[in-house]
């Protein structure tokens, strides 16, 4: 297959009506935090057991088209000795890989951060490809305060995101472009809308500058919500209205899929909001999910590091995958939570 054929085939399989993406690419510090919440030590073996359990979930491929893995997982094996990326692929779930090297403070931009990891990226991608990865993810973060994000951070982050995406496509890897506007803070939903609009429009300007092919990428944004310390919650209808208004303004129709992150929403909130987003008029893109916490939290609780809880954990994961799949079709209701 040519590079272009690879990109076309991967995007076709990733962006399908009724399917979303599982984000299971937590870095070591993040997975340690998630495991600690359920009383599990973050050892290499525990991480392997847990992620292997998820990827071995029967029928996961009915609702999930791709899974984002952390580098360590790409090289790990299931109990039967099969590499985890192959386990996933044979379950109908395309393996992908988080390739950024994390974020840190941006110099001369107080309160803003920048994501690193471009050096040697093409070489790393070639190696990830031999291990089975067909798509990648890179996450930028933007804090909302009265002064953040600043224009320098908005521009610099857009530039690295676009360079990452261009490099991915040159290697036949579909890029997931993730500009995460954080939920932390007391800001209003209007302020979140404003920041998302500024951030995402700059990202698309940079993508164009770097000649990224919009048809073979996925956007992974935050939903537009009030800050988590705002006190006033927005209804799913308000979230849907603000979110769609922003995306209709700044995301070209050539982009096939927008897969939201959950960003600290509870599993039920994330499903309910996604359902509201998909309940109105049809939009130019498939509007789906690429959740980490909102898909995994119930599964982690059910597992709690105990091998005999495997089936219960898989059932919990499958339940959230199925409910979110219904939400992408606007067919979810809270009574399905049972
Ligand atoms: P959350 O859904 O937990 O926000 O994770 C998605 C993700 O991949 C963040 O980079």
């Amino acid at each position: 297959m040519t590079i272009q054929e690879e990109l076309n085939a991967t995007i076709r399989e990733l962006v399908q009506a009724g399917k979303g993406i599982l984000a299971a690419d937590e870095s070591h510090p993040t997975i340690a935090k998630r495991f600690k919440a359920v009383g599990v030590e973050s050892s290499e073996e525990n991480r392997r057991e847990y992620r292997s359990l998820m990827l071995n979930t029967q029928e996961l491929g009915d609702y999930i088209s791709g899974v984002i893995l952390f580098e360590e997982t790409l090289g790990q094996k299931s109990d039967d000795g099969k590499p985890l990326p192959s386990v996933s692929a044979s379950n109908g779930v395309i393996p992908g890989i988080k390739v950024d090297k994390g974020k840190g403070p941006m110099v001369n931009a107080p309160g803003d951060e920048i994501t690193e990891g471009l050096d040697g990226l093409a070489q790393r991608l070639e190696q990830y490809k031999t291990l089975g990865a067909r798509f990648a993810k890179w996450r930028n973060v933007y804090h909302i305060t009265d002064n953040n994000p600043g224009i320098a951070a908005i521009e610099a982050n857009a530039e690295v995101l676009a360079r990452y995406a261009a490099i991915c496509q040159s290697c036949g890897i579909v890029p997931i472009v993730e500009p995460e506007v954080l939920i932390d803070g007391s800001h209003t939903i209007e302020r979140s809308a404003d920041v998302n609009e500024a951030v995402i429009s700059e990202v698309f300007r940079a993508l164009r500058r770097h000649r990224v092919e919009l048809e073979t990428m996925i956007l992974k944004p935050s939903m537009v919500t009030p800050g988590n310390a705002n006190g006033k919650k927005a209804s799913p209808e308000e979230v849907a209205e603000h979110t769609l208004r922003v995306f209709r303004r700044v995301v070209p129709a050539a982009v096939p899929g927008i897969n939201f992150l959950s960003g600290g929403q509870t599993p039920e909130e994330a499903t309910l909001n996604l359902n509201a987003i998909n309940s109105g008029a049809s939009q130019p893109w498939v509007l789906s999910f690429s959740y980490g916490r909102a898909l995994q939290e119930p599964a982690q609780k059910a597992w709690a590091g105990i091998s005999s809880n495997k089936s219960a954990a898989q059932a919990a994961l499958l339940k959230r995958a199925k409910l979110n799949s219904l939400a992408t079709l606007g067919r979810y209701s809270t009574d399905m939570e049972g």
Side-chain angles (χ1 to χ4, degrees):
M1 274 207 276
T2 64
I3 293 285
Q4 187 66 53
E5 285 165 351
E6 282 180 342
L7 292 171
N8 294 346
T10 302
I11 199 79
R12 215 171 28 243
E13 289 173 52
L14 273 181
V15 182
Q16 293 184 52
K19 291 193 185 184
I21 293 171
L22 167 62
D25 59 328
E26 299 87 355
S27 63
H28 289 333
T30 303
I31 195 71
K33 201 156 63 177
R34 306 278 182 261
F35 275 12
K36 193 169 173 217
V38 294
V40 178
E41 185 209 341
S42 179
S43 63
E44 184 176 345
E45 173 53 20
N46 283 343
R47 292 191 295 270
R48 186 199 66 82
E49 181 181 331
Y50 170 66
R51 286 166 169 160
S52 166
L53 161 172
M54 284 196 290
L55 299 175
N56 274 292
T57 302
Q58 296 298 307
E59 293 161 36
L60 192 63
D62 292 354
Y63 313 111
I64 301 287
S65 58
V67 59
I68 314 170
L69 303 173
F70 190 63
E71 188 173 4
E72 175 187 69
T73 316
L74 266 193
Q76 286 178 326
K77 296 190 166 76
S78 190
D79 290 342
D80 59 6
K82 201 169 165 189
L84 288 181
S86 314
V87 169
S88 182
S90 49
N91 210 358
V93 179
I94 303 177
I97 172 82
K98 168 198 172 77
V99 299
D100 67 73
K101 297 242 177 207
K103 62 195 173 54
M106 186 165 139
V107 172
N108 293 341
D112 285 324
E113 297 193 273
I114 183 92
T115 302
E116 305 196 331
L118 286 176
D119 288 353
L121 180 58
Q123 291 75 11
R124 283 199 286 136
L125 286 170
E126 291 304 341
Q127 195 215 336
Y128 298 149
K129 222 173 151 175
T130 64
L131 295 169
R134 293 174 57 193
F135 70 98
K137 174 193 116 171
W138 177 295
R139 170 178 180 252
N140 285 352
V141 302
Y142 305 83
H143 298 264
I144 301 186
T145 69
D146 288 346
N147 306 310
N148 300 101
I151 188 69
I154 291 176
E155 288 184 358
N157 274 293
E159 181 74 12
V160 292
L161 211 35
R163 288 195 55 208
Y164 140 81
I167 294 167
C168 283
Q169 289 183 338
S170 76
C171 299
I173 296 275
V174 165
I176 294 187
V177 169
E178 181 179 0
E180 176 172 5
V181 175
L182 295 170
I183 200 171
D184 307 311
S186 56
H187 51 270
T188 61
I189 194 168
E190 288 79 14
R191 172 84 175 126
S192 167
D194 240 26
V195 171
N196 270 287
E197 187 174 332
V199 161
I200 297 168
S201 59
E202 192 59 39
V203 166
F204 279 97
R205 254 196 296 280
L207 290 169
R208 180 163 195 282
R209 219 164 37 238
H210 288 273
R211 300 178 180 276
V212 171
E213 183 179 72
L214 301 183
E215 290 80 359
T216 52
M217 62 159 272
I218 288 173
L219 180 69
K220 174 166 175 169
S222 307
M223 288 180 195
V224 176
T225 67
N228 56 9
N230 179 278
K232 186 172 164 270
K233 273 218 175 299
S235 68
E237 292 69 31
E238 285 172 296
V239 171
E241 187 193 327
H242 282 89
T243 300
L244 289 172
R245 189 172 148 91
V246 167
F247 290 107
R248 290 184 63 84
R249 287 181 177 185
V250 295
V251 183
V255 174
I258 299 180
N259 291 58
F260 295 98
L261 57 94
S262 61
Q265 298 182 41
T266 66
E268 287 79 10
E269 273 170 2
T271 310
L272 205 51
N273 287 335
L274 183 63
N275 190 68
I277 286 171
N278 282 295
S279 292
S282 83
Q283 304 294 335
W285 336 270
V286 172
L287 291 154
S288 185
F289 58 92
S290 173
Y291 295 160
R293 282 162 286 180
L295 280 172
Q296 294 187 59
E297 247 171 42
Q300 287 165 353
K301 280 192 191 137
W303 174 59
I306 299 163
S307 301
S308 57
N309 290 340
K310 178 176 161 180
S311 305
Q314 291 177 329
L317 174 66
L318 200 62
K319 175 180 168 187
R320 291 256 59 90
K322 183 175 183 178
L323 294 179
N324 281 300
S325 162
L326 288 166
T328 66
L329 307 168
R331 292 189 200 141
Y332 163 81
S333 62
T334 45
D335 56 14
M336 295 171 178
E337 293 289 346

